[in-house]
Amino acid sequence: MENRCENCIIRQFNSLRALNKDELKKVSDSKISRKIKKGEALFVEGQKLDGVFCVRNGVSKLSKLSANGKEQIVKLTNLGEIMGQRSVIAEDFTNLSATAINDMEVCFIPKEIISNTLNTNPNFSLEVLRHLAHDLKEADDVIVNMSQKTVKQRLAEAFIYLKKNYGEDENGFLALTLSRDDYANIIGAATESLIRMISDFKKKGLIKTEGKKIGVVEIDRLQELVDGF
């Protein structure tokens, strides 16, 4: 019963909160629960989706390949995020790829259910529009960050974001462990440059490291770096 949409607290974070009981029942009866392993793709850029993915557990990266084959990570998903909405509603190919950063649980909701509910429930349509508008704002922010901030500022911002959004383990390391390549692809830098910057941040006492793990030590000083002080 805990996998029923009617009982799922995750929907409070997304547009499904606008659905009534009967609509939630239809979604629940048609959805497919999936376990996605770390490193596995949920979908790839240029794919036609037959439905959307609702994140019950775990984190994925949404990324785009540049013309020279370099990956740019556009965002990391949060609990309750619905992926693939734009593609399904616009009946368009996916613009990004989604890959699991750690083991995930997702619910796949078929396209017909989304389309039918959009046609019959104006509150759901409004919630979907709000979420799409939020995604658009996030995309604008990424563009501004890339053009106006240095790679060091973007790295400091990434550490702050990961600490605030995903928390820390009991030893003060970021709960979400990313590879050095992923960090480089988030901030738009070469991996070698990224490794040097991490070493520099560590020497200055801003962060601590242990293997792949990174911990934020001086969040205020990182924020000052982001703000240009």
Side-chain angles (χ1 to χ4, degrees):
M1 283 295 287
E2 70 275 5
N3 284 337
R4 299 289 301 174
C5 296
E6 301 94 307
N7 307 327
C8 183
I9 196 159
I10 301 298
R11 67 185 169 84
Q12 297 304 323
F13 300 116
N14 61 44
S15 47
L16 297 179
R17 65 185 172 194
L19 302 187
N20 62 39
K21 254 188 181 168
D22 288 341
E23 288 165 337
L24 278 172
K25 186 179 183 305
K26 280 181 189 168
V27 170
S28 204
D29 290 342
S30 66
K31 75 176 173 63
I32 302 161
S33 294
R34 290 185 185 170
K35 288 189 187 296
I36 311 288
K37 288 282 178 200
K38 177 182 176 178
E40 197 180 326
L42 287 93
F43 53 84
V44 294
E45 192 178 333
Q47 192 177 332
K48 207 70 184 276
L49 292 181
D50 296 324
V52 299
F53 296 88
C54 178
V55 179
R56 275 178 62 83
N57 212 341
V59 180
S60 75
K61 59 180 178 182
L62 294 172
S63 61
K64 190 163 183 64
L65 279 182
S66 63
N68 63 3
K70 180 155 173 62
E71 183 185 30
Q72 173 67 55
I73 295 176
V74 177
K75 72 176 287 188
L76 302 173
T77 61
N78 289 303
L79 199 66
E81 192 125 2
I82 292 185
M83 294 184 288
Q85 270 189 140
R86 187 209 62 82
S87 175
V88 164
I89 292 164
E91 296 193 350
D92 193 9
F93 296 106
T94 52
N95 193 40
L96 303 170
S97 297
T99 311
I101 281 181
N102 48 24
D103 290 349
M104 296 182 75
E105 283 180 63
V106 299
C107 293
F108 179 78
I109 304 166
K111 178 180 174 179
E112 299 72 40
I113 292 287
I114 300 295
S115 301
N116 292 344
T117 314
L118 280 170
N119 289 330
T120 56
N121 183 336
N123 288 334
F124 177 61
S125 301
L126 188 60
E127 280 293 334
V128 169
L129 274 174
R130 280 188 182 133
H131 281 84
L132 290 175
H134 175 73
D135 288 346
L136 199 56
K137 180 181 179 293
E138 278 193 340
D140 288 344
D141 289 344
V142 168
I143 292 166
V144 170
N145 266 357
M146 282 297 189
S147 61
Q148 295 186 359
K149 288 183 177 160
T150 66
V151 282
K152 278 191 176 179
Q153 285 176 309
R154 296 201 292 268
L155 182 59
E157 197 165 46
F159 290 147
I160 293 167
Y161 176 85
L162 290 169
K163 179 181 164 79
K164 287 184 175 174
N165 284 270
Y166 301 100
E168 296 174 320
D169 65 17
E170 64 278 7
N171 298 314
F173 290 101
L174 295 171
L176 187 63
T177 303
L178 300 179
S179 71
R180 298 304 190 250
D181 282 342
D182 280 341
Y183 275 114
N185 293 337
I186 285 170
I187 68 169
T191 305
E192 299 78 24
S193 303
L194 179 276
I195 290 167
R196 283 196 298 271
M197 277 186 275
I198 285 177
S199 176
D200 181 48
F201 278 25
K202 188 179 177 180
K203 274 181 199 157
K204 289 175 177 168
L206 303 174
I207 61 169
K208 61 181 181 179
T209 64
E210 186 182 284
K212 277 189 177 181
K213 291 183 177 181
I214 291 174
V216 171
V217 177
E218 293 280 358
I219 194 165
D220 291 341
R221 284 174 62 201
L222 283 173
Q223 189 59 55
E224 285 174 2
L225 176 55
V226 173
D227 296 335
F229 294 128

